[in-house]
Amino acid sequence: MLLNTLRRSFLGQVLAGSFVVLTAIPSPRMAIAQTSTAKTTEADRFVDALLAKMTFEEKIGQMTQIAFNSPEGPKRDERILKGEVGSLLFVRDPEEVNRLQHLAMEKSRLHIPLIFGFDVIHGYRTVYPVPLALAASWDPATSERAQRMAAREASSVGIRWTFAPMVDIARDPRWGRIMEGAGEDPYLGARMAEAQVHGFQGKRLDAEDSILACVKHFAGYGAAVGGRDYDSSDISDEQLQNVYLPPYKAAVNAGAGSLMSAYMDLNGVPATGNRWLLHDVLREQWGFKGFVVSDWESIKSLTTHGFASGPEDAAVRAVNAGVDMEMTSTTYRDSLADAVKKGLVQQSTIDDAVRRILLAKYNLGLFQHPYVALERSKKELVSQEQRAASREIAARTAVLLRNEDHLLPLKRDLKSIAVIGPLVDSKPDIMGSWSLGAHPDDTVTVIEGIQRHFAASGTKVLSTKGVEIKRGQASIFDDQFPSPKPTLLTDEAKEAEFHHAIDLVNQADVAVLVLGEAQTMSGERASRSSLTLPGKQQQLLEAAVATGKPVVLVLVNGRPLDITWASQHVPAILDVWYPGTEAGNAIADLLSGDAVPGGKLPVSWPRTVGQVPVFYARNLTQIPNDPDTRYWDGSSAPLYPFGYGLSYTTFSLGEVKTSTNSVQAGGTMDVSVEVRNTGSSVGDEVVQLYTHQRSGSASRPVRELKGFQRITLKPGESRVVTLKLDTKELAFWSPQTHRWSIEPGEFDLWVGADSNATAHAAFEVTPKS
C-alpha cells in the first residue's frame, strides 16, 4: 500500500484539472453523539476536571473491560472499588447491574459509572431477523425499527452499549459472519449502517432507552481469505476505499459513539495495531470523536500474529495505533504503566483515550442517571408490542425466489398440509446465531405458527422432521446457546424417520419443507467449505418432489445455499433467513397470503461454491458481452442476481425520465419511473437505480447501486417514484490519482427491480464551474 500517499490524499486534497475532489460528506442526519455546542463544552469541562483528579491506575481502569464469565470476573467487585474497571461484559440481571453500579458510583473514589456491554445484534430478549435479513428488506426504516426495539429491551436491563452494527462487506458466502452484515454492496451497506446506528442510539443518546452503537469490525474483516473466519484480508487500495470502507464512514457520519477494531491482518498489518487505519483514516480524515474498543483479546493476540514481540509491545502498538479500551484481556493493565515510564507511550495518549471513554459515558447520561429502573424490564421484555414488531419485520424481510403456477399463497381450502424438515420445531435454530439474551421458550416455531393459522380453518397439519442435522465440530456458542441434539442415533431410526416423512408428504395436499442450517452453522467461527444443504436434506427434498405433490421450500439460513437443483424442480422457494422470536407466525402469514413477500436479495446467489466470490459490481474486462460463459463446465452467472425477489403480484416499470441530461459535479438530478401493480393482490416493489461511468482515470464497475425505494401498491395502482441522484455518490477513489473525486464524463443509468435492470437513460457530469 502507498500509505504515505494515502495519508496525505484520502479526502480534502485539491486535484488539478477538472475533477472535483471531495471533502468529508456531511452526515444526512445530525450526529447523535455530538450534542449542541453548549452541551459539548459542558461535557468537555466536566471530563477534563475529572481527568485531572485521576491516578494513572484509575485511567487504565477506564481503558479496561472485564467479562463477567472470564477469570477476571470474580475479582470485579474489588477492582470496581479501586476504580480499575471501566466496563463490564455479559451482565444481564438489572439488579446485579445496579449493585455493581452502586459500587462504582457510591464506593469508589471518583464515582465514575460503569458501562455495561452486550452483543445486541438482532434483538435482545425478543429476537428480530438477522442483519442480513434486515438488509433484504431494502428498507432502512425497517432496520432502524428493529434496532430501536432491541435498544429498548436491552436498556431496560441496564445494557447501554451494544457491539453492533457489523458493517463488514461480505462477498464470500462461505464466511459464517455474512449473516451479521448487509451483504455485498457498499451503498446498501451504508444505508443499513446509518439506520442501525439511528435505531440503537435513538433521537437522544442520553435517553434511558438508547444504547451506544459500536461499529465493527474495522476494517475489512469480511474479506477473509477463503471465507475462513479470522484469516487475513488482502484488499487492494482501490477495493478498500471504494467497497469496504464506505459503510464505516456512513456509520461514523450517522453519529456512532464507538467502533471496534478487527481481529485479522489487513494487508499484513493486524487491524488492532494499524495506526494508519485507526488514526490516519478514522481520526484525521473522518473526524471520528468516539472511542475504539478492541475485539475479544485482539490486543493480546498481536503477539500471536507475530506482529508484537510480547505483551508490552502489543499494548504499546495498540494504544499508539488508537485503541482506547481493551476487551477482556489485561495487556493494558499489566504493561502500560512501564511503557509510559520508558517513554514508549506518551501520557497524553493515555489521557486522550480516557477522555473519549468518559465523554461517551457522559453523553449516555450515565453520570446523571447511572441506575436502571427495575420495573422497565418487566414491561418491555417480550411485550406484545415487541412480538408484533418482530412478526411484521420477519415477514418484511422474506424473499420469494420462485413461485411457479402461483403455488403461493397456499389455497385456503386445503384439506391437509405436511410440514417437514429438521427445523420445523426447533426454537433455537429459527432464531439464529447471536440470540444470547433470548429465551428459546419465547419463540414460536414453524409448526406452531402453521398449526395456529391453518388448523383453525379446518386444514389438517401433518409434521415430522424427516432428517436431523448437526455441525461437524463444536460451536464456540454451544455452552451459551446450543442447538437441539440429535435423537436419531441408529441407521434404522434415521431410515424409519425419513420414510415416515415421505409418507406424510404422500398423505397431504401440499408439502412445506423447512430446510437450511441450524443456528450454530452460521455466525462467528461458522465458515463452511461448501454451500450444500447440510446432512440428508437434499435427499429428503428430492424424495418429496418425487411424490408428485406440490412442494414449497422454506429456507432457514444466514447465507446463500446451493439450491440450484431446487430452482429447477421445486415450484415455490421462500427464503425467510433466521426470522427470530415470531418466526412461526410470520412464516404462516407469508404462506397464507396474510403477508406478501417483498424482500430483495442483498447478495448475489451463486449456483455452486466454485463461483464464489460472485457479485454484480464487476468490471467490464475484455469480454463484457459474455458474462455467463467464463466457465466451460457451467454458467458463471449467479443463480439469482443481487436485488432479486418476487411477489405474489406483478409489477411493470415505465420509461425512465431524468430531470436533466447534464449535471454539474456536486449537483443533483431526479430520476423518475412509473411503477404499476399489474397483478391481483397488494404488494411491495423495490425500485433500484444503478449507474456506470463510461470512462475515467480508472475502470469502473459495470453497475453500481446509487439509490432505491420500497413502495406498496394496490392492484391496478400506479405511482411515479422519483429517486434523487447526488453526484457525490458518483465519486470514487482512483488508484491512479490516489484521491476521491467526481470525474466529469458520460454515465449510464438503469432503473429496475434488480441489478439486471433494463430501463436505461444516459447523462453527463460536467466540471463544476
Side-chain angles (χ1 to χ4, degrees):
M1 293 175 63
L2 301 173
L3 295 186
N4 290 331
T5 303
L6 289 176
R7 290 187 184 111
R8 291 194 303 268
S9 64
F10 179 72
L11 289 172
Q13 294 270 336
V14 176
L15 179 60
S18 60
F19 296 173
V20 174
V21 179
L22 298 185
T23 55
I25 300 172
S27 168
R29 178 170 169 174
M30 180 177 290
I32 299 296
Q34 307 303 315
T35 53
S36 67
T37 303
K39 184 145 185 203
T40 300
T41 302
E42 177 187 338
D44 288 337
R45 286 198 300 267
F46 177 90
V47 167
D48 286 343
L50 182 58
L51 194 61
K53 300 175 185 177
M54 297 175 72
T55 65
F56 186 85
E57 291 72 22
E58 288 168 332
K59 292 176 181 178
I60 300 302
Q62 288 302 303
M63 299 170 68
T64 301
Q65 182 184 69
I66 291 179
F68 207 60
N69 59 352
S70 72
E72 287 291 310
K75 305 173 186 176
R76 59 188 177 274
D77 286 21
E78 177 185 351
R79 295 203 181 279
I80 291 169
L81 290 171
K82 293 180 179 179
E84 295 178 350
V85 182
S87 174
L88 283 168
L89 188 59
F90 299 144
V91 186
R92 294 187 286 151
D93 179 354
E95 292 187 356
E96 180 67 2
V97 166
N98 281 350
R99 186 188 73 80
L100 295 169
Q101 195 71 281
H102 176 78
L103 295 179
M105 294 301 296
E106 310 297 334
K107 303 294 185 180
S108 70
R109 188 177 76 89
L110 292 178
H111 318 294
I112 300 174
L114 301 164
I115 182 171
F116 293 88
F118 193 77
D119 293 285
V120 184
I121 308 301
H122 54 107
Y124 177 64
R125 176 71 179 270
T126 305
V127 179
Y128 289 79
V130 295
L132 188 64
L134 294 177
S137 73
W138 282 65
D139 180 20
T142 293
S143 187
E144 180 174 346
R145 182 187 179 199
Q147 304 301 27
R148 180 89 294 270
M149 299 300 286
R152 284 171 48 178
E153 276 200 332
S155 63
S156 77
V157 300
I159 294 167
R160 298 298 304 279
W161 185 20
T162 179
F163 305 109
M166 191 198 88
V167 302
D168 297 302
I169 294 296
R171 293 178 165 181
D172 189 335
R174 294 173 298 180
W175 188 52
R177 301 192 80 167
I178 189 173
M179 49 97 38
E180 291 179 57
E184 72 180 56
D185 185 75
Y187 184 87
L188 180 62
R191 303 294 78 77
M192 292 300 164
E194 295 163 349
Q196 291 186 81
V197 170
H198 294 155
F200 286 130
Q201 298 191 168
K203 294 181 180 179
R204 287 184 58 91
L205 190 55
D206 59 358
E208 67 175 1
D209 62 355
S210 291
I211 62 179
L212 193 72
C214 184
V215 184
K216 66 182 187 185
H217 308 81
F218 196 61
Y221 183 40
V225 174
R228 297 182 295 269
D229 206 5
Y230 310 146
D231 256 10
S232 300
S233 294
D234 294 303
I235 308 172
S236 71
D237 293 350
E238 187 273 332
Q239 287 284 291
L240 183 64
Q241 301 286 3
N242 291 316
V243 176
Y244 290 90
L245 290 183
Y248 294 100
K249 180 62 163 57
V252 168
N253 284 352
S258 66
L259 183 145
M260 182 185 293
S261 63
Y263 282 123
M264 80 300 148
D265 284 3
L266 174 63
N267 298 334
V269 180
T272 296
N274 194 321
R275 182 173 171 83
W276 172 78
L277 196 63
L278 297 173
H279 179 268
D280 295 9
V281 173
L282 185 63
R283 301 285 182 196
E284 291 191 346
Q285 295 168 9
W286 294 358
F288 179 61
K289 303 301 182 185
F291 73 94
V292 175
V293 63
S294 75
D295 207 336
W296 186 280
E297 294 192 345
S298 65
I299 295 176
K300 176 182 176 181
S301 294
L302 292 179
T303 303
T304 308
H305 280 262
F307 180 68
S309 60
E312 181 180 81
D313 190 32
V316 169
R317 290 184 182 231
V319 76
N320 283 339
V323 180
D324 302 313
M325 182 183 289
E326 181 173 16
M327 181 183 285
T328 70
S329 51
T330 61
T331 316
Y332 276 3
R333 192 178 71 208
D334 297 339
S335 302
L336 282 183
D338 285 345
V340 171
K341 290 177 183 177
K342 295 175 183 177
L344 301 174
V345 177
Q346 297 299 311
Q347 180 64 51
S348 60
T349 300
I350 304 297
D351 289 349
D352 287 344
V354 176
R355 181 180 289 107
R356 288 190 283 261
I357 295 166
L358 294 177
L359 277 170
K361 292 181 177 183
Y362 184 94
N363 289 334
L364 271 169
L366 290 175
F367 282 96
Q368 299 88 344
H369 304 288
Y371 303 109
V372 58
L374 298 180
E375 66 274 9
R376 280 190 60 215
S377 63
K378 298 174 183 177
K379 298 177 181 178
E380 191 67 65
L381 299 181
V382 208
S383 66
Q384 288 304 308
E385 184 184 2
Q386 290 279 352
R387 283 190 175 276
S390 178
R391 182 173 181 169
E392 292 167 13
I393 292 171
R396 196 164 175 79
T397 57
V399 181
L400 183 64
L401 297 175
R402 182 174 164 89
N403 195 23
E404 295 299 299
D405 299 322
H406 305 288
L407 178 56
L408 291 178
L410 296 175
K411 294 180 175 60
R412 295 185 180 274
D413 60 354
L414 289 173
K415 294 180 180 179
S416 59
I417 302 173
V419 184
I420 309 295
L423 305 175
V424 297
D425 201 27
S426 174
K427 291 179 181 287
D429 288 326
I430 208 72
M431 299 160 73
S433 185
W434 291 111
S435 300
L436 302 179
H439 294 187
D441 288 345
D442 296 332
T443 297
V444 181
T445 65
V446 179
I447 187 59
E448 289 171 343
I450 291 177
Q451 282 176 332
R452 290 175 189 173
H453 206 100
F454 287 91
S457 60
T459 302
K460 186 177 181 181
V461 179
L462 311 169
S463 183
T464 193
K465 53 189 169 185
V467 298
E468 293 178 327
I469 55 177
K470 182 183 178 182
R471 265 182 63 135
Q473 56 184 237
S475 164
I476 61 174
F477 297 113
D478 280 345
D479 292 339
Q480 297 168 277
F481 196 78
S483 290
K485 294 181 179 180
T487 60
L488 303 172
L489 303 180
T490 66
D491 290 342
E492 291 79 6
K494 294 174 184 177
E495 184 176 0
E497 173 60 23
F498 189 99
H499 289 304
H500 174 53
I502 300 306
D503 183 52
L504 293 184
V505 173
N506 276 308
Q507 295 177 40
D509 293 336
V510 64
V512 175
L513 269 70
V514 184
L515 308 179
E517 296 180 311
Q519 57 88 20
T520 55
M521 297 175 177
S522 189
E524 185 169 357
R525 206 166 178 178
S527 295
R528 297 184 59 186
S529 62
S530 75
L531 299 175
T532 56
L533 291 168
K536 301 291 185 180
Q537 293 182 99
Q538 182 67 32
Q539 292 91 322
L540 181 67
L541 178 62
E542 293 184 16
V545 171
T547 66
K549 294 299 179 77
V551 173
V552 177
L553 172 58
V554 174
L555 282 176
V556 176
N557 54 310
R559 55 160 65 88
L561 297 172
D562 185 347
I563 56 168
T564 300
W565 184 90
S567 72
Q568 299 167 354
H569 298 91
V570 178
I573 305 174
L574 179 66
D575 191 349
V576 299
W577 313 100
Y578 293 109
T581 298
E582 283 289 309
N585 288 330
I587 291 169
D589 291 339
L590 290 160
L591 294 176
S592 67
D594 286 353
V596 178
K600 302 281 186 174
L601 292 178
V603 288
S604 301
W605 198 289
R607 297 174 185 271
T608 69
V609 73
Q611 286 181 293
V612 301
V614 58
F615 48 91
Y616 83 94
R618 64 190 185 279
N619 282 13
L620 287 168
T621 69
Q622 186 68 20
I623 49 172
N625 296 326
D626 294 305
D628 190 29
T629 59
R630 301 300 175 87
Y631 301 121
W632 64 261
D633 59 346
S635 172
S636 53
L639 182 64
Y640 299 113
F642 174 81
Y644 173 85
L646 302 175
S647 174
Y648 294 158
T649 188
T650 55
F651 300 92
S652 66
L653 275 68
E655 180 183 354
V656 177
K657 298 179 180 180
T658 60
S659 60
T660 180
N661 59 10
S662 180
V663 60
Q664 276 193 1
T668 62
M669 60 184 288
D670 291 340
V671 180
S672 301
V673 65
E674 183 180 48
V675 185
R676 181 177 297 275
N677 183 338
T678 55
S680 58
S681 65
V682 67
D684 285 12
E685 182 61 290
V686 179
V687 180
Q688 303 168 36
L689 168 63
Y690 296 86
T691 67
H692 168 67
Q693 183 170 334
R694 294 180 182 177
S695 61
S697 65
S699 299
R700 302 301 300 136
V702 60
R703 293 188 182 192
E704 294 179 285
L705 181 69
K706 298 301 179 184
F708 61 88
Q709 184 178 338
R710 180 167 175 165
I711 61 171
T712 302
L713 295 176
K714 298 176 183 178
E717 182 183 3
S718 65
R719 185 183 309 171
V720 174
V721 175
T722 299
L723 300 173
K724 189 170 290 295
L725 177 60
D726 190 330
T727 56
K728 290 179 181 178
E729 295 293 347
L730 304 177
F732 70 98
W733 188 91
S734 171
Q736 288 250 70
T737 66
H738 301 131
R739 293 175 172 88
W740 277 89
S741 61
I742 305 168
E743 297 188 2
E746 295 181 341
F747 288 76
D748 295 293
L749 68 81
W750 297 266
V751 176
D754 59 46
S755 56
N756 289 335
T758 57
H760 174 264
F763 67 98
E764 181 184 16
V765 175
T766 61
K768 189 173 183 179
S769 57

